Amino acid sequence: MTILTNTYSASSANAAYASSTQSSNGSHPTFSEEMYSDPEMRPYLEQYYEKAYAPMRERIAAMREDGYTPKTIQTEDGGIAQEISADRYEAMIPDFDKWLEGQKTIIPGLRDSVDIFREGAQRHVDYLEKNHPDSQSDVRAVFSNGDQILGYLYENGGMVTHDRGSHLRTYSDQADKLGLRGQARVEYIADAVSRDYSSIDVSRYDDQNAPTRREFSERWYPDHDVDQGYQANLQEARSQLAAAEERYRQQQSNITEMHSYLLGLMEQEQQA
């Protein structure tokens, strides 16, 4: 049997909702977001709402029964924080209609943001794993004065400058006005600097002779431990990915729990 996500009439929806669709993980219920606007689904959703907030309401009741007084505490960073009172806890609980509206409008956006965060974290890890210290850098031009680096250009035309090379930003601004990107931007800026500053050495690179990230660091930033920096960045990126994956798993678990609960209610009513 298959859950018909576009069928909402309670007279027939019990059979439609109270069924399953096959996936690689077995049978599981699926529901459309349109159900939050369906009056026939309201009784089921209200029961889930009451179940979801029951622990919070129990906590509030216990705080009031015990005459609990919120304490002022010192945080780890030395700041001061006030514990939440029963009244503040209660104010945090939306009424049922506001909860429904949030499910229709806020929750989908949160799901999208979790997906975007997860995908971005995965791309960042993939990038770092591919672009290790001994892989070719995307540096395409270096501006220097003797052994002092003034700035450099990436393959995409992005520019990095140091204090003594801040004036080079003028050429980046000019390239912006001309709408130049990529190799055309690199060539424009490198040519302009070579033309206007005979005292600045301009080293140009391409896909064949660009230095590795290690070579670039050892040449211009000898005090920087390229391996340590890389491992720290990779560890942080993997930690961010793990956090994103956990948020995604928790989100999916919450969705599955809700759908399973609703499905159970429908099956009970169908059997009654």
Side-chain angles (χ1 to χ4, degrees), residues 142-189:
V142 174
F143 308 108
S144 61
N145 188 341
D147 288 333
Q148 184 175 47
I149 188 170
L150 304 178
Y152 55 95
L153 292 169
Y154 287 115
E155 183 178 22
N156 63 5
M159 172 180 273
V160 175
T161 60
H162 297 288
D163 290 343
R164 294 192 62 179
S166 59
H167 57 288
L168 299 177
R169 283 284 170 187
T170 300
Y171 300 102
S172 181
D173 294 340
Q174 291 173 0
D176 284 342
K177 293 178 181 178
L178 294 172
L180 299 177
R181 297 290 184 270
Q183 184 60 31
R185 182 185 180 89
V186 172
E187 291 176 358
Y188 173 82
I189 296 174

Side-chain angles (χ1 to χ4, degrees), residues 46-106:
E46 190 162 13
Q47 288 186 65
Y48 178 79
Y49 162 83
E50 294 296 340
K51 170 184 173 293
Y53 284 101
M56 196 168 178
R57 289 196 168 102
E58 290 171 1
R59 169 62 177 158
I60 293 168
M63 291 172 68
R64 286 174 172 158
E65 183 177 349
D66 296 340
Y68 179 77
T69 301
K71 300 175 183 178
T72 299
I73 59 176
Q74 185 171 12
T75 60
E76 292 183 359
D77 60 3
I80 301 297
Q82 182 78 24
E83 291 182 328
I84 298 177
S85 66
D87 289 343
R88 286 183 62 191
Y89 264 125
E90 191 168 51
M92 291 166 62
I93 300 177
D95 63 33
F96 178 58
D97 287 315
K98 286 184 179 180
W99 178 82
L100 277 181
E101 189 62 30
Q103 297 300 309
K104 289 187 292 185
T105 58
I106 299 174

Side-chain angles (χ1 to χ4, degrees), residues 119-133 135-139 154-156 213 230 233-234 237:
E119 291 167 3
Q122 182 64 66
R123 284 195 300 271
H124 189 39
V125 169
D126 293 344
Y127 173 83
L128 288 174
E129 289 178 343
K130 179 181 178 182
N131 295 282
H132 51 80
S135 64
Q136 188 181 59
S137 72
D138 53 1
V139 173
Y154 287 115
E155 183 178 22
N156 63 5
R213 286 164 169 77
Y230 172 74
N233 289 337
L234 184 58

